[in-house]
Amino acid sequence: MKKGFTMIELIFVIVILGILAAIAIPRLAATRDDAEISKAATNLSTVVSDLTAYYTSKTNFGASLADMTNVALNLGTGKTGALQLKSKDCITISAVDAVADTVDSKGTVTKKGTPAYVNLVKASGADPLCDQLTAVPSVAKMLSAEPVYGKDAAGKDLKLPKGSYPVGGSNVVY
């Protein structure tokens, strides 16, 4: 009697290995996507911290985002760029300089200026990974922030655009 495996035994082993591979490979891909999303959320927080720290130390923004942070961004013109996830722009980042109050000849403020701020906006286009990134609670909170920086002559709150973070020690209420 010969020792060895029968053809049926070998076929069963191959089928079992195929089933295991069919289960494991999609889970591995999902784990990679989750890691990319976590990395992008951390990078977004780092960019905002870098830009605010740069402004605080220099009292103005640099000429481009590359001058102010080492986080890899898809750089736009001037002080704008985009955080990418798998080579797709997900969140547009802009550094906006302060605008001084407009004062008339009598010294009365006719138009209230704005503090310098960093603005975050979800990039246009539907991408499932970008949607997952913007659904992360910390990122969603950053994108929906509407800080108040003062009151107008009528006593109404003056707000920065949605997704803004004032820099430079401004008196701002979130």
Side-chain angles (χ1 to χ4, degrees):
M1 180 171 184
K2 294 183 181 178
K3 299 210 175 201
F5 297 107
T6 66
M7 186 62 85
I8 292 177
E9 291 172 327
L10 290 174
I11 289 173
F12 278 134
V13 168
I14 291 170
V15 167
I16 290 170
L17 288 175
I19 291 170
L20 290 174
I23 293 170
I25 290 173
R27 289 189 185 259
L28 179 62
T31 302
R32 285 186 187 150
D33 289 347
D34 290 346
E36 287 290 326
I37 290 167
S38 295
K39 181 177 135 186
T42 301
N43 282 344
L44 182 63
S45 178
T46 301
V47 167
V48 171
S49 294
D50 287 351
L51 296 179
T52 56
Y54 186 94
Y55 187 90
T56 301
S57 68
K58 306 280 185 180
T59 66
N60 61 9
F61 287 118
S64 74
L65 293 183
D67 297 338
M68 299 179 274
T69 185
N70 289 327
V71 174
L73 300 170
N74 182 17
L75 296 175
T77 58
K79 300 172 191 175
T80 63
L83 181 70
Q84 291 189 315
L85 192 56
K86 289 196 170 184
S87 300
K88 293 182 181 164
D89 291 351
C90 284
I91 297 176
T92 302
I93 303 164
S94 303
V96 182
D97 290 309
V99 175
D101 291 345
T102 304
V103 180
D104 65 13
S105 60
K106 296 176 186 173
T108 306
V109 175
T110 57
K111 184 176 179 192
K112 183 96 169 129
T114 58
Y117 60 94
V118 176
N119 186 250
L120 308 174
V121 178
K122 182 181 177 193
S124 60
D127 181 63
L129 284 179
C130 290
D131 292 341
Q132 287 179 18
L133 172 62
T134 57
V136 172
S138 61
V139 175
K141 186 176 179 181
M142 293 174 85
L143 291 171
S144 64
E146 287 185 275
V148 174
Y149 65 91
K151 299 208 180 271
D152 63 10
K156 184 178 174 185
D157 287 342
L158 295 171
K159 293 182 180 181
L160 290 175
K162 199 172 195 177
S164 296
Y165 283 85
V167 296
S170 304
N171 292 328
V172 177
V173 178
Y174 289 94

